[in-house]
Amino acid sequence: MPLPAEQQIPTFPPPEAESEESWLWSQIKAEAHRDAESEPALASYLYATVLSHPSLVRSLSFHLANKLCSSTLLSTLLYDLFLQIFSSFPSIRSAAAADLLAVRHRDPACISFSHCLLNYKGFLAIQAHRVAHSLWSQSRRPLALALHSRVADVFSVDIHPAARLGKGLLLDHATGVVIGETAVVGNNVSILHHVTLGGTGKAVGDRHPKIGDGVLIGAGATILGNVKIGEGAKIGAGSVVLIDVPPRTTAVGNPARLVGGKETPSRHEDVPGESMDHTSFISEWSDYII
């Protein structure tokens, strides 16, 4: 059954004269106008968060500031901080646009770009982390850690400000995601809820996982130590990974094992971080039948 017109994903890329960011902003404003007309109870909220702003970065800065403020960390201070970082670093803005596109295309529950911008805490947590990481890189570490703490409190997502994240990321549901200080996450990666990219508890220095481009990590998976998850690999839900996983392979179980065996593991051609295919390996690996 085809999606309703308002839920269909607009065609991209935009005309050459229009940037990805401005194209997304025009889509978000149109969606907000539509939603304000169809649901008057949200009209003032949509005006304050989207329609009153001249750009995506100003809207995002305003929304994050109001989400993360507290009685002692004021929204006006956070708004100025977010806007300054987003305006100063085009790479952070382009990463936010790539994340918006990733969520909209990979998650069938995401009905619009404005829905992602306003309601997806995984998306919002990543954008706040990008600001915290910028502060950390500028040696403004007390402020980076304060922002990290607020993100953990508000969104239940704990990403150390030193962790390095790529673009085109999806934190699906996002609750309980933990990413440690020396972790690296590549581009076009999808991570489900309650995933831990942690240390082993005894190592120091560079001690957290390195996640390649296009990886899919299922719900509740735990990856510990300075291990490498190869490009396009898939980590099954609930798995515990303690050693490297080769590119384009699937690791499942506790402790995790490669589907097809260690010597000749099964390899897939798709990019699971983009296809979101969690289960196709089962027919090759298990005779379990419900």
Side-chain angles (χ1 to χ4, degrees), residues 73-148:
L73 197 60
L74 302 182
S75 62
T76 50
L77 181 151
L78 289 177
Y79 173 76
D80 290 341
L81 174 67
F82 290 135
L83 186 59
Q84 188 269 325
I85 297 293
F86 287 136
S87 299
S88 300
F89 296 94
S91 61
I92 296 179
R93 298 200 305 272
S94 66
D99 295 343
L100 273 169
L101 287 165
V103 176
R104 183 73 175 95
H105 283 82
R106 294 179 211 162
D107 186 356
C110 184
I111 61 174
S112 66
F113 292 114
S114 61
H115 175 47
C116 176
L117 171 67
L118 298 175
N119 302 320
Y120 266 54
K121 68 178 185 177
F123 169 78
L124 294 171
I126 290 173
Q127 309 324 310
H129 165 77
R130 297 194 195 285
V131 173
H133 181 71
S134 177
L135 293 169
W136 184 271
S137 300
Q138 298 172 51
S139 297
R140 300 175 68 183
R141 295 187 174 183
L143 183 54
L145 290 167
L147 184 55
H148 158 248

Side-chain angles (χ1 to χ4, degrees), residues 110-234:
C110 184
I111 61 174
S112 66
F113 292 114
S114 61
H115 175 47
C116 176
L117 171 67
L118 298 175
N119 302 320
Y120 266 54
K121 68 178 185 177
F123 169 78
L124 294 171
I126 290 173
Q127 309 324 310
H129 165 77
R130 297 194 195 285
V131 173
H133 181 71
S134 177
L135 293 169
W136 184 271
S137 300
Q138 298 172 51
S139 297
R140 300 175 68 183
R141 295 187 174 183
L143 183 54
L145 290 167
L147 184 55
H148 158 248
S149 177
R150 287 301 296 156
V151 171
D153 288 345
V154 173
F155 298 131
S156 297
V157 175
D158 188 341
I159 308 174
H160 192 282
R164 290 181 285 152
L165 305 187
K167 63 181 182 178
L169 304 184
L170 168 61
L171 295 188
D172 198 358
H173 302 290
T175 299
V177 168
V178 177
I179 301 178
E181 179 181 9
T182 60
V184 178
V185 178
N187 299 324
N188 303 313
V189 171
S190 293
I191 298 175
L192 276 288
H193 47 289
H194 292 292
V195 163
T196 296
L197 306 181
T200 61
K202 58 183 180 180
V204 296
D206 192 358
R207 62 197 182 278
H208 295 104
K210 309 300 181 280
I211 310 300
D213 295 346
V215 168
L216 172 62
I217 306 177
T222 299
I223 306 173
L224 299 179
N226 188 12
V227 299
K228 183 176 181 180
I229 309 302
E231 179 179 346
K234 186 187 305 184

Side-chain angles (χ1 to χ4, degrees), residues 35-47:
D35 293 343
E37 291 176 358
S38 65
E39 186 51 80
L42 290 176
S44 61
Y45 166 69
L46 290 168
Y47 180 80

